Structures are given as structure tokens and as C-alpha cells.
Amino acid sequence: MLKRKIAAALAAVCVMAPVSSFASGAIPDHRGTSMEGIAIGTESVNSNVKSYFDLFKEYGDQYGVDPNLLASICQQESSGINWSHRDDGSEMPAWGIMQIEYSLENAFAQFGKETTGVEWTLEDRLDPEKSISFAAHLISEMLIHYDCDYLKMIQGYNFGQTVLDRIIAAKGDGWMSERANAKSYVQNWQYATYGDAQYVEHVLRYYKQYMVYSGAKVRVNGELVKFENQYPIIENDRTLIPIRGLLESLGAEVEWDHANYNAIVERDGVRVVLPIGSQTAYVNGNAVELDVPAELRNGRTMVPLRFITDNFGIDITWDQDTRTVNID
């Protein structure tokens, strides 16, 4: 990909039009394992799953996850039904519309405490909003771990990251062919099979562009940047970036002035003060206009990418196919 100056790269940052085939980027930021031969979007999600589209969109945008993928996983996991017990009355190990495993009890409780101030219980898995938000967070973490290889992430949602990592370590690029033998990679497993060896295919048959995917990724020197609580999004032809997540990865110091409701950033002799809700920022004391006001989303200060690049001298390239901002 050719190196381009900031203005040219930013001009290319636009809202991606809905696409219908994988070849043109059905999962826009996928990279890694080939999807050749996998049927995409041959079936549709049902009305139960569609009733949660607003939540898939909200938490997909927050955690940098394609909401259409959340819907597809929900369809495969539960058909949008809040399962907790089998027909015979026995308790299922995974509950809720996203089928959160009981083995994730501690992670689920901690996530609740970090996001709401209250530890969530296993029963909270039956709350669709809590289930979806945790699933989006979990998927976001796996996307970082697997460097945006969506096939690994999808299978990891079913097998668990630990088991899938063992398969990948043993078989490398041939990991998909080894999925049927997953049982041999699980310690003390007493059942005949483990997980769904065709989980990737089963999920992707439901994958369509039901909702607009607003997410974008950022790579610094080739490494994905992990953002806390809010990922970059594309709105009205602008890429909005959480300044702390990006600029701290570039060595900046970011502070929050609660008394004045300002975010303060210092890097390489440049000091920027960003009053929340104002379209005016101050760069080394000089007033500078933003395209849109700085705003708080999920506790993170969001500003247009153009403002960051213009005022901190950061060169970028934009990869439209993977919706990724690259900073070298």
C-alpha cells in the first residue's frame, strides 16, 4: 500500500457501503485465514435475533465489533432465545442469548464491576443487554489476540481461546482441518466430542449486512491498538478516535481535568487542551477549531482523527479494505 499524505488518507475515510459478498469484504477488517469455500449469508437471522439489533449495534460500535457478526453468533448460539435449562429441566452450562459459559463466571463478574460498578452474577447472563455487552467485549479481546483473524475468533468463541490456541500451536495454518479432533486438546474431557467443529461455517451462513458497521481499527507499527471501553468509529464521513487509547500508544501523556471538564494531551512539546462539548481546542494556548466538538463516549474523549494528525504531526495511511488507520 502506497504511503500517502494525511489529507489524502483522511479523504478516503468514509462510511463503507453495505456489501453482499465476502470477496468484496463482507467482514471488512478480516485478515488471516482464508475464507475460500465457506458459504456466507446463505440464511438469515430470525425475528428474535432482529429484536436485539439496537443492542448489537450499540455494543458493536463501542467495542469495535461488527454488529452483524454479533447477530450471526446469537442466531447460531440461541436463535435469540434466553436459554438456561433443557426441556428435561436440567441446567445448561451456558445461559442467555449469547450462551455465556459458567466457566466465565469470574470474567463476567469483573466485567460487570468495571462497566456498571456492580459484580454480575451468573443469573445476569439472562439479561440480554449484559449478555450482548460481555460477548462484544470478549470478541473484541479475541480479535486483538488473533490479530483480526475472524475465523479464529469465531471458532474461539465456541472452543474457548485456550483450546483453540493449542490447536493452532500444533497445526499452524492447518488449524481448521484439526477442529474435529478438538477433544484431544482438552484436559479431562469425558464426552465423545468437544464443541462444534463446523462453528465457523455455521455462524457465517447467517452473516449479512443487516446493520451498518461503523467501526475502524488502528495499527501502530503494524500492531493493533487496544482501546478501553470505546473503539474508533466512523460517523458522517469522519473517523472519531479515543485520544487516550491512541496517543498513549504513541508516547503522549493524557490527563483528565475533571474540574474544568477538559482532556489535556502533551506530546513532543505540543500541549492540547480539549474542552468537552466545545468545537474549540487550544494548542499551545492557541485556539483551533475542530470539525465537530470533542465528546465523551463511555468515559472516553473522542475527537476527529484529522485534528490529531494535523496537530501532532502524525502521518497515516488508510486501508479501505480493512477499515484500518495505519501509523508507522
Side-chain angles (χ1 to χ4, degrees), residues 171-200:
K171 298 298 180 179
D173 292 342
W175 68 271
M176 288 190 71
S177 299
E178 185 69 4
R179 292 177 294 168
N181 299 319
K183 177 186 174 182
S184 63
Y185 295 86
V186 186
Q187 298 175 351
N188 302 318
W189 188 253
Q190 57 183 320
Y191 303 103
T193 60
Y194 179 82
D196 178 358
Q198 295 292 305
Y199 189 75
V200 168

PDB file of all heavy atoms in Angstrom, residues 171-200:
ATOM      1  N   LYS A 171      -0.891 -27.187  14.832  1.00  0.00           N
ATOM      2  CA  LYS A 171      -1.143 -27.357  13.401  1.00  0.00           C
ATOM      3  C   LYS A 171      -0.902 -26.109  12.564  1.00  0.00           C
ATOM      4  O   LYS A 171      -0.968 -26.177  11.333  1.00  0.00           O
ATOM      5  CB  LYS A 171      -2.586 -27.839  13.188  1.00  0.00           C
ATOM      6  CG  LYS A 171      -2.877 -29.192  13.824  1.00  0.00           C
ATOM      7  CD  LYS A 171      -2.003 -30.286  13.220  1.00  0.00           C
ATOM      8  CE  LYS A 171      -2.288 -31.642  13.856  1.00  0.00           C
ATOM      9  NZ  LYS A 171      -1.466 -32.713  13.255  1.00  0.00           N
ATOM     10  N   GLY A 172      -0.650 -24.975  13.197  1.00  0.00           N
ATOM     11  CA  GLY A 172      -0.368 -23.764  12.437  1.00  0.00           C
ATOM     12  C   GLY A 172      -1.503 -23.396  11.508  1.00  0.00           C
ATOM     13  O   GLY A 172      -2.675 -23.383  11.895  1.00  0.00           O
ATOM     14  N   ASP A 173      -1.166 -23.121  10.235  1.00  0.00           N
ATOM     15  CA  ASP A 173      -2.177 -22.711   9.266  1.00  0.00           C
ATOM     16  C   ASP A 173      -3.195 -23.809   8.969  1.00  0.00           C
ATOM     17  O   ASP A 173      -4.242 -23.538   8.378  1.00  0.00           O
ATOM     18  CB  ASP A 173      -1.505 -22.277   7.959  1.00  0.00           C
ATOM     19  CG  ASP A 173      -0.708 -20.990   8.113  1.00  0.00           C
ATOM     20  OD1 ASP A 173      -0.943 -20.264   9.102  1.00  0.00           O
ATOM     21  OD2 ASP A 173       0.150 -20.713   7.254  1.00  0.00           O
ATOM     22  N   GLY A 174      -2.906 -25.033   9.373  1.00  0.00           N
ATOM     23  CA  GLY A 174      -3.841 -26.135   9.148  1.00  0.00           C
ATOM     24  C   GLY A 174      -4.819 -26.348  10.285  1.00  0.00           C
ATOM     25  O   GLY A 174      -5.443 -27.413  10.375  1.00  0.00           O
ATOM     26  N   TRP A 175      -4.984 -25.329  11.122  1.00  0.00           N
ATOM     27  CA  TRP A 175      -5.806 -25.496  12.325  1.00  0.00           C
ATOM     28  C   TRP A 175      -7.257 -25.848  12.015  1.00  0.00           C
ATOM     29  O   TRP A 175      -7.884 -26.607  12.768  1.00  0.00           O
ATOM     30  CB  TRP A 175      -5.749 -24.231  13.184  1.00  0.00           C
ATOM     31  CG  TRP A 175      -6.412 -23.019  12.585  1.00  0.00           C
ATOM     32  CD1 TRP A 175      -5.837 -22.085  11.775  1.00  0.00           C
ATOM     33  CD2 TRP A 175      -7.773 -22.608  12.758  1.00  0.00           C
ATOM     34  NE1 TRP A 175      -6.739 -21.116  11.419  1.00  0.00           N
ATOM     35  CE2 TRP A 175      -7.942 -21.413  12.016  1.00  0.00           C
ATOM     36  CE3 TRP A 175      -8.861 -23.122  13.452  1.00  0.00           C
ATOM     37  CZ2 TRP A 175      -9.158 -20.734  11.951  1.00  0.00           C
ATOM     38  CZ3 TRP A 175     -10.081 -22.450  13.392  1.00  0.00           C
ATOM     39  CH2 TRP A 175     -10.218 -21.268  12.653  1.00  0.00           C
ATOM     40  N   MET A 176      -7.806 -25.351  10.908  1.00  0.00           N
ATOM     41  CA  MET A 176      -9.221 -25.621  10.632  1.00  0.00           C
ATOM     42  C   MET A 176      -9.468 -27.104  10.367  1.00  0.00           C
ATOM     43  O   MET A 176     -10.516 -27.644  10.735  1.00  0.00           O
ATOM     44  CB  MET A 176      -9.709 -24.773   9.455  1.00  0.00           C
ATOM     45  CG  MET A 176      -9.852 -23.299   9.805  1.00  0.00           C
ATOM     46  SD  MET A 176     -10.704 -22.337   8.529  1.00  0.00           S
ATOM     47  CE  MET A 176     -12.388 -22.940   8.684  1.00  0.00           C
ATOM     48  N   SER A 177      -8.512 -27.765   9.761  1.00  0.00           N
ATOM     49  CA  SER A 177      -8.661 -29.192   9.473  1.00  0.00           C
ATOM     50  C   SER A 177      -8.554 -30.047  10.730  1.00  0.00           C
ATOM     51  O   SER A 177      -8.923 -31.231  10.712  1.00  0.00           O
ATOM     52  CB  SER A 177      -7.593 -29.636   8.467  1.00  0.00           C
ATOM     53  OG  SER A 177      -7.724 -28.933   7.250  1.00  0.00           O
ATOM     54  N   GLU A 178      -8.069 -29.454  11.803  1.00  0.00           N
ATOM     55  CA  GLU A 178      -7.868 -30.194  13.050  1.00  0.00           C
ATOM     56  C   GLU A 178      -9.030 -30.015  14.021  1.00  0.00           C
ATOM     57  O   GLU A 178      -9.064 -30.640  15.090  1.00  0.00           O
ATOM     58  CB  GLU A 178      -6.558 -29.721  13.705  1.00  0.00           C
ATOM     59  CG  GLU A 178      -6.121 -30.465  14.950  1.00  0.00           C
ATOM     60  CD  GLU A 178      -5.683 -31.906  14.699  1.00  0.00           C
ATOM     61  OE1 GLU A 178      -5.649 -32.323  13.511  1.00  0.00           O
ATOM     62  OE2 GLU A 178      -5.371 -32.607  15.666  1.00  0.00           O
ATOM     63  N   ARG A 179     -10.013 -29.212  13.659  1.00  0.00           N
ATOM     64  CA  ARG A 179     -11.090 -28.904  14.605  1.00  0.00           C
ATOM     65  C   ARG A 179     -11.867 -30.142  15.048  1.00  0.00           C
ATOM     66  O   ARG A 179     -12.333 -30.215  16.190  1.00  0.00           O
ATOM     67  CB  ARG A 179     -12.046 -27.882  13.990  1.00  0.00           C
ATOM     68  CG  ARG A 179     -11.439 -26.502  13.812  1.00  0.00           C
ATOM     69  CD  ARG A 179     -12.414 -25.555  13.139  1.00  0.00           C
ATOM     70  NE  ARG A 179     -12.701 -25.959  11.763  1.00  0.00           N
ATOM     71  CZ  ARG A 179     -13.685 -25.455  11.013  1.00  0.00           C
ATOM     72  NH1 ARG A 179     -14.486 -24.529  11.522  1.00  0.00           N
ATOM     73  NH2 ARG A 179     -13.871 -25.867   9.769  1.00  0.00           N
ATOM     74  N   ALA A 180     -12.006 -31.119  14.162  1.00  0.00           N
ATOM     75  CA  ALA A 180     -12.749 -32.336  14.515  1.00  0.00           C
ATOM     76  C   ALA A 180     -12.055 -33.126  15.616  1.00  0.00           C
ATOM     77  O   ALA A 180     -12.687 -33.956  16.285  1.00  0.00           O
ATOM     78  CB  ALA A 180     -12.936 -33.208  13.280  1.00  0.00           C
ATOM     79  N   ASN A 181     -10.768 -32.857  15.825  1.00  0.00           N
ATOM     80  CA  ASN A 181     -10.009 -33.555  16.865  1.00  0.00           C
ATOM     81  C   ASN A 181      -9.827 -32.701  18.114  1.00  0.00           C
ATOM     82  O   ASN A 181      -8.929 -32.955  18.918  1.00  0.00           O
ATOM     83  CB  ASN A 181      -8.633 -33.959  16.319  1.00  0.00           C
ATOM     84  CG  ASN A 181      -8.735 -34.903  15.139  1.00  0.00           C
ATOM     85  OD1 ASN A 181      -9.560 -35.809  15.141  1.00  0.00           O
ATOM     86  ND2 ASN A 181      -7.904 -34.678  14.128  1.00  0.00           N
ATOM     87  N   ALA A 182     -10.681 -31.699  18.273  1.00  0.00           N
ATOM     88  CA  ALA A 182     -10.523 -30.758  19.387  1.00  0.00           C
ATOM     89  C   ALA A 182     -10.516 -31.454  20.744  1.00  0.00           C
ATOM     90  O   ALA A 182      -9.836 -31.012  21.677  1.00  0.00           O
ATOM     91  CB  ALA A 182     -11.629 -29.707  19.345  1.00  0.00           C
ATOM     92  N   LYS A 183     -11.247 -32.550  20.853  1.00  0.00           N
ATOM     93  CA  LYS A 183     -11.332 -33.259  22.138  1.00  0.00           C
ATOM     94  C   LYS A 183      -9.949 -33.622  22.668  1.00  0.00           C
ATOM     95  O   LYS A 183      -9.708 -33.590  23.882  1.00  0.00           O
ATOM     96  CB  LYS A 183     -12.181 -34.519  21.977  1.00  0.00           C
ATOM     97  CG  LYS A 183     -12.262 -35.368  23.227  1.00  0.00           C
ATOM     98  CD  LYS A 183     -12.997 -36.677  22.969  1.00  0.00           C
ATOM     99  CE  LYS A 183     -12.946 -37.582  24.191  1.00  0.00           C
ATOM    100  NZ  LYS A 183     -13.609 -38.884  23.939  1.00  0.00           N
ATOM    101  N   SER A 184      -9.037 -33.963  21.776  1.00  0.00           N
ATOM    102  CA  SER A 184      -7.704 -34.396  22.205  1.00  0.00           C
ATOM    103  C   SER A 184      -6.869 -33.248  22.767  1.00  0.00           C
ATOM    104  O   SER A 184      -5.804 -33.478  23.341  1.00  0.00           O
ATOM    105  CB  SER A 184      -6.959 -35.049  21.038  1.00  0.00           C
ATOM    106  OG  SER A 184      -6.741 -34.120  19.989  1.00  0.00           O
ATOM    107  N   TYR A 185      -7.350 -32.018  22.610  1.00  0.00           N
ATOM    108  CA  TYR A 185      -6.628 -30.850  23.115  1.00  0.00           C
ATOM    109  C   TYR A 185      -7.221 -30.335  24.425  1.00  0.00           C
ATOM    110  O   TYR A 185      -6.800 -29.301  24.936  1.00  0.00           O
ATOM    111  CB  TYR A 185      -6.643 -29.730  22.076  1.00  0.00           C
ATOM    112  CG  TYR A 185      -5.890 -30.081  20.814  1.00  0.00           C
ATOM    113  CD1 TYR A 185      -6.512 -30.778  19.780  1.00  0.00           C
ATOM    114  CD2 TYR A 185      -4.554 -29.736  20.666  1.00  0.00           C
ATOM    115  CE1 TYR A 185      -5.822 -31.115  18.622  1.00  0.00           C
ATOM    116  CE2 TYR A 185      -3.855 -30.062  19.510  1.00  0.00           C
ATOM    117  CZ  TYR A 185      -4.497 -30.757  18.500  1.00  0.00           C
ATOM    118  OH  TYR A 185      -3.800 -31.085  17.355  1.00  0.00           O
ATOM    119  N   VAL A 186      -8.209 -31.064  24.950  1.00  0.00           N
ATOM    120  CA  VAL A 186      -8.880 -30.650  26.181  1.00  0.00           C
ATOM    121  C   VAL A 186      -8.517 -31.623  27.293  1.00  0.00           C
ATOM    122  O   VAL A 186      -8.611 -32.847  27.119  1.00  0.00           O
ATOM    123  CB  VAL A 186     -10.411 -30.625  25.996  1.00  0.00           C
ATOM    124  CG1 VAL A 186     -11.082 -30.062  27.245  1.00  0.00           C
ATOM    125  CG2 VAL A 186     -10.787 -29.808  24.774  1.00  0.00           C
ATOM    126  N   GLN A 187      -8.125 -31.103  28.414  1.00  0.00           N
ATOM    127  CA  GLN A 187      -7.757 -31.951  29.538  1.00  0.00           C
ATOM    128  C   GLN A 187      -8.999 -32.433  30.282  1.00  0.00           C
ATOM    129  O   GLN A 187      -9.938 -31.673  30.518  1.00  0.00           O
ATOM    130  CB  GLN A 187      -6.847 -31.177  30.498  1.00  0.00           C
ATOM    131  CG  GLN A 187      -5.524 -30.746  29.873  1.00  0.00           C
ATOM    132  CD  GLN A 187      -4.697 -29.880  30.806  1.00  0.00           C
ATOM    133  OE1 GLN A 187      -5.156 -29.464  31.860  1.00  0.00           O
ATOM    134  NE2 GLN A 187      -3.459 -29.611  30.410  1.00  0.00           N
ATOM    135  N   ASN A 188      -8.996 -33.713  30.629  1.00  0.00           N
ATOM    136  CA  ASN A 188     -10.050 -34.318  31.446  1.00  0.00           C
ATOM    137  C   ASN A 188     -11.444 -34.138  30.847  1.00  0.00           C
ATOM    138  O   ASN A 188     -12.415 -33.879  31.557  1.00  0.00           O
ATOM    139  CB  ASN A 188     -10.027 -33.723  32.869  1.00  0.00           C
ATOM    140  CG  ASN A 188      -8.688 -33.917  33.554  1.00  0.00           C
ATOM    141  OD1 ASN A 188      -8.078 -34.986  33.458  1.00  0.00           O
ATOM    142  ND2 ASN A 188      -8.218 -32.877  34.232  1.00  0.00           N
ATOM    143  N   TRP A 189     -11.538 -34.277  29.523  1.00  0.00           N
ATOM    144  CA  TRP A 189     -12.842 -34.157  28.866  1.00  0.00           C
ATOM    145  C   TRP A 189     -13.459 -35.545  28.737  1.00  0.00           C
ATOM    146  O   TRP A 189     -12.879 -36.445  28.139  1.00  0.00           O
ATOM    147  CB  TRP A 189     -12.684 -33.515  27.490  1.00  0.00           C
ATOM    148  CG  TRP A 189     -13.990 -33.174  26.836  1.00  0.00           C
ATOM    149  CD1 TRP A 189     -14.576 -33.807  25.787  1.00  0.00           C
ATOM    150  CD2 TRP A 189     -14.868 -32.115  27.201  1.00  0.00           C
ATOM    151  NE1 TRP A 189     -15.771 -33.213  25.462  1.00  0.00           N
ATOM    152  CE2 TRP A 189     -15.984 -32.164  26.321  1.00  0.00           C
ATOM    153  CE3 TRP A 189     -14.845 -31.124  28.184  1.00  0.00           C
ATOM    154  CZ2 TRP A 189     -17.042 -31.266  26.393  1.00  0.00           C
ATOM    155  CZ3 TRP A 189     -15.901 -30.231  28.258  1.00  0.00           C
ATOM    156  CH2 TRP A 189     -16.978 -30.302  27.370  1.00  0.00           C
ATOM    157  N   GLN A 190     -14.658 -35.738  29.300  1.00  0.00           N
ATOM    158  CA  GLN A 190     -15.242 -37.072  29.406  1.00  0.00           C
ATOM    159  C   GLN A 190     -16.263 -37.392  28.323  1.00  0.00           C
ATOM    160  O   GLN A 190     -16.776 -38.511  28.260  1.00  0.00           O
ATOM    161  CB  GLN A 190     -15.917 -37.218  30.775  1.00  0.00           C
ATOM    162  CG  GLN A 190     -16.987 -36.162  31.048  1.00  0.00           C
ATOM    163  CD  GLN A 190     -17.595 -36.273  32.431  1.00  0.00           C
ATOM    164  OE1 GLN A 190     -17.845 -37.384  32.907  1.00  0.00           O
ATOM    165  NE2 GLN A 190     -17.828 -35.140  33.087  1.00  0.00           N
ATOM    166  N   TYR A 191     -16.556 -36.413  27.454  1.00  0.00           N
ATOM    167  CA  TYR A 191     -17.602 -36.637  26.460  1.00  0.00           C
ATOM    168  C   TYR A 191     -17.001 -37.044  25.114  1.00  0.00           C
ATOM    169  O   TYR A 191     -15.804 -36.901  24.871  1.00  0.00           O
ATOM    170  CB  TYR A 191     -18.457 -35.381  26.314  1.00  0.00           C
ATOM    171  CG  TYR A 191     -19.070 -34.939  27.626  1.00  0.00           C
ATOM    172  CD1 TYR A 191     -18.536 -33.866  28.336  1.00  0.00           C
ATOM    173  CD2 TYR A 191     -20.153 -35.623  28.168  1.00  0.00           C
ATOM    174  CE1 TYR A 191     -19.080 -33.470  29.551  1.00  0.00           C
ATOM    175  CE2 TYR A 191     -20.704 -35.237  29.382  1.00  0.00           C
ATOM    176  CZ  TYR A 191     -20.159 -34.160  30.066  1.00  0.00           C
ATOM    177  OH  TYR A 191     -20.692 -33.778  31.267  1.00  0.00           O
ATOM    178  N   ALA A 192     -17.863 -37.524  24.217  1.00  0.00           N
ATOM    179  CA  ALA A 192     -17.392 -38.076  22.941  1.00  0.00           C
ATOM    180  C   ALA A 192     -16.826 -37.007  22.014  1.00  0.00           C
ATOM    181  O   ALA A 192     -15.889 -37.263  21.255  1.00  0.00           O
ATOM    182  CB  ALA A 192     -18.535 -38.816  22.247  1.00  0.00           C
ATOM    183  N   THR A 193     -17.394 -35.815  22.046  1.00  0.00           N
ATOM    184  CA  THR A 193     -16.935 -34.730  21.177  1.00  0.00           C
ATOM    185  C   THR A 193     -16.760 -33.462  21.996  1.00  0.00           C
ATOM    186  O   THR A 193     -17.234 -33.365  23.134  1.00  0.00           O
ATOM    187  CB  THR A 193     -17.934 -34.458  20.040  1.00  0.00           C
ATOM    188  OG1 THR A 193     -19.203 -34.089  20.607  1.00  0.00           O
ATOM    189  CG2 THR A 193     -18.101 -35.689  19.158  1.00  0.00           C
ATOM    190  N   TYR A 194     -16.087 -32.499  21.390  1.00  0.00           N
ATOM    191  CA  TYR A 194     -15.895 -31.212  22.068  1.00  0.00           C
ATOM    192  C   TYR A 194     -16.295 -30.089  21.121  1.00  0.00           C
ATOM    193  O   TYR A 194     -15.744 -29.947  20.027  1.00  0.00           O
ATOM    194  CB  TYR A 194     -14.436 -31.028  22.485  1.00  0.00           C
ATOM    195  CG  TYR A 194     -14.172 -29.700  23.166  1.00  0.00           C
ATOM    196  CD1 TYR A 194     -14.447 -29.532  24.516  1.00  0.00           C
ATOM    197  CD2 TYR A 194     -13.675 -28.611  22.445  1.00  0.00           C
ATOM    198  CE1 TYR A 194     -14.229 -28.318  25.149  1.00  0.00           C
ATOM    199  CE2 TYR A 194     -13.453 -27.391  23.065  1.00  0.00           C
ATOM    200  CZ  TYR A 194     -13.734 -27.249  24.421  1.00  0.00           C
ATOM    201  OH  TYR A 194     -13.522 -26.040  25.038  1.00  0.00           O
ATOM    202  N   GLY A 195     -17.258 -29.291  21.542  1.00  0.00           N
ATOM    203  CA  GLY A 195     -17.649 -28.123  20.771  1.00  0.00           C
ATOM    204  C   GLY A 195     -18.233 -28.463  19.414  1.00  0.00           C
ATOM    205  O   GLY A 195     -18.644 -29.594  19.134  1.00  0.00           O
ATOM    206  N   ASP A 196     -18.263 -27.460  18.562  1.00  0.00           N
ATOM    207  CA  ASP A 196     -18.807 -27.579  17.208  1.00  0.00           C
ATOM    208  C   ASP A 196     -17.663 -27.395  16.225  1.00  0.00           C
ATOM    209  O   ASP A 196     -17.156 -26.287  16.041  1.00  0.00           O
ATOM    210  CB  ASP A 196     -19.886 -26.513  17.000  1.00  0.00           C
ATOM    211  CG  ASP A 196     -20.486 -26.530  15.602  1.00  0.00           C
ATOM    212  OD1 ASP A 196     -20.047 -27.350  14.767  1.00  0.00           O
ATOM    213  OD2 ASP A 196     -21.384 -25.708  15.339  1.00  0.00           O
ATOM    214  N   ALA A 197     -17.245 -28.478  15.591  1.00  0.00           N
ATOM    215  CA  ALA A 197     -16.101 -28.432  14.681  1.00  0.00           C
ATOM    216  C   ALA A 197     -16.383 -27.618  13.425  1.00  0.00           C
ATOM    217  O   ALA A 197     -15.461 -27.258  12.699  1.00  0.00           O
ATOM    218  CB  ALA A 197     -15.676 -29.847  14.294  1.00  0.00           C
ATOM    219  N   GLN A 198     -17.651 -27.319  13.166  1.00  0.00           N
ATOM    220  CA  GLN A 198     -18.028 -26.517  11.999  1.00  0.00           C
ATOM    221  C   GLN A 198     -18.633 -25.176  12.434  1.00  0.00           C
ATOM    222  O   GLN A 198     -19.423 -24.578  11.708  1.00  0.00           O
ATOM    223  CB  GLN A 198     -19.045 -27.292  11.156  1.00  0.00           C
ATOM    224  CG  GLN A 198     -18.498 -28.566  10.550  1.00  0.00           C
ATOM    225  CD  GLN A 198     -17.448 -28.280   9.487  1.00  0.00           C
ATOM    226  OE1 GLN A 198     -17.695 -27.545   8.544  1.00  0.00           O
ATOM    227  NE2 GLN A 198     -16.274 -28.870   9.647  1.00  0.00           N
ATOM    228  N   TYR A 199     -18.222 -24.700  13.588  1.00  0.00           N
ATOM    229  CA  TYR A 199     -18.839 -23.495  14.142  1.00  0.00           C
ATOM    230  C   TYR A 199     -18.643 -22.280  13.236  1.00  0.00           C
ATOM    231  O   TYR A 199     -19.563 -21.478  13.052  1.00  0.00           O
ATOM    232  CB  TYR A 199     -18.266 -23.212  15.530  1.00  0.00           C
ATOM    233  CG  TYR A 199     -18.989 -22.124  16.285  1.00  0.00           C
ATOM    234  CD1 TYR A 199     -20.232 -22.367  16.863  1.00  0.00           C
ATOM    235  CD2 TYR A 199     -18.429 -20.854  16.431  1.00  0.00           C
ATOM    236  CE1 TYR A 199     -20.902 -21.376  17.565  1.00  0.00           C
ATOM    237  CE2 TYR A 199     -19.091 -19.858  17.132  1.00  0.00           C
ATOM    238  CZ  TYR A 199     -20.327 -20.121  17.696  1.00  0.00           C
ATOM    239  OH  TYR A 199     -20.993 -19.140  18.383  1.00  0.00           O
ATOM    240  N   VAL A 200     -17.462 -22.128  12.668  1.00  0.00           N
ATOM    241  CA  VAL A 200     -17.211 -21.003  11.759  1.00  0.00           C
ATOM    242  C   VAL A 200     -18.228 -21.003  10.628  1.00  0.00           C
ATOM    243  O   VAL A 200     -18.866 -19.980  10.327  1.00  0.00           O
ATOM    244  CB  VAL A 200     -15.780 -21.074  11.187  1.00  0.00           C
ATOM    245  CG1 VAL A 200     -15.610 -20.092  10.030  1.00  0.00           C
ATOM    246  CG2 VAL A 200     -14.752 -20.784  12.270  1.00  0.00           C
TER     247      VAL A 200
END
